[in-house]
Amino acid sequence: MNKKKIIVIGSGGCAKVVGDIILQQENIGIEVKLIGFIDDNYGKDNKIEIFGRKVLGKIDKIKEFKDKGYFYVFGIGNNEIRKRLEDIVDNYYTAIHPKATIGEEVIIERGTVVMAGAVINSYSQIGKHCIINTGSIVEHDCIIEDFVHISPNTTLCGGVTIENECWIGAGSVVIQGLTVKENTIVGAGSVVVKDLPVNCIAVGIPARPIKFNVENNEF
């Protein structure tokens, strides 16, 4: 069986963690191979290597790779950037760390990354190009739509819905059955005890909106 050859889009901290997932998969015999990284911050003078793999060039380098059969995965934490870049290729890889726990009847769509120690329990649905970050818990029957970032040590209790492009900050808790509407940011350490509206920043215990009509990278 031919190994899937993976290129990570990005070269910052998130990309390092995603690259490590591919290496950990290799180590347990999954048929993948980490080829390298691409990033628009690349310059010819920056001979950057991550885990001994090169940053191969800027993102438009993909044009040169089109006949090589590579798969791609985002190593970019910003939801808006992942969404903007999605159409550059079709063949995305879904990267799940070997030490993540995935329940029965879980759906995880293309390009999503599930990091070490994350738990996704039964009958949950995860959309495309999401980040389920280190140690986060997605309980049973949750629905996470596209381009969502669930930060480290976050807990989504059962039956929670997180709509498109939300960012749930580190250590937050969302109580069972609630909905966080599209493009909303929940600040780190917050506790969500009622539904949150679209396009706001909410913080605190309990979490309350403090700003509306936000840009996704404001917080």
Side-chain angles (χ1 to χ4, degrees), residues 143 145 159-163 166 168 174-182 184 186 192-198:
I143 297 172
E145 295 185 349
V160 165
T161 297
I162 308 294
E163 293 188 348
C166 288
I168 311 300
V174 183
I175 298 302
Q176 62 270 15
L178 298 183
T179 297
V180 178
K181 294 285 190 177
E182 185 169 344
T184 279
V186 176
V192 179
V193 299
K194 63 180 182 179
D195 292 349
L196 290 176
V198 65

Side-chain angles (χ1 to χ4, degrees), residues 78-80 82-83 86 107-112 125-132 143-150 161-167 180-184 216:
N78 185 291
N79 298 334
E80 183 181 355
R82 295 198 308 283
K83 183 177 181 181
E86 184 202 11
I107 296 170
I108 301 175
E109 295 192 21
R110 71 176 192 158
T112 281
Q125 301 176 40
I126 314 296
K128 62 186 180 182
H129 301 295
C130 294
I131 298 172
I132 310 300
I143 297 172
I144 296 177
E145 295 185 349
D146 300 336
F147 306 103
V148 168
H149 189 158
I150 305 297
T161 297
I162 308 294
E163 293 188 348
N164 294 318
E165 296 181 73
C166 288
W167 183 359
V180 178
K181 294 285 190 177
E182 185 169 344
N183 196 43
T184 279
N216 200 279

Side-chain angles (χ1 to χ4, degrees), residues 27-47:
N27 290 342
I28 64 167
I30 294 175
E31 294 293 319
V32 294
K33 182 176 179 60
L34 178 61
I35 298 299
F37 301 79
I38 53 175
D39 194 322
D40 277 350
N41 290 325
Y42 170 85
K44 288 185 179 179
D45 295 332
N46 323 347
K47 297 186 177 174

Side-chain angles (χ1 to χ4, degrees), residues 149-155 167-173 185-190 219:
H149 189 158
I150 305 297
S151 296
N153 293 316
T154 293
T155 298
W167 183 359
I168 311 300
S172 297
V173 176
I185 299 167
V186 176
S190 298
F219 195 73

Side-chain angles (χ1 to χ4, degrees), residues 189-210:
S190 298
V191 178
V192 179
V193 299
K194 63 180 182 179
D195 292 349
L196 290 176
V198 65
N199 200 30
C200 73
I201 294 173
V203 300
I205 302 174
R208 293 187 174 91
I210 60 169

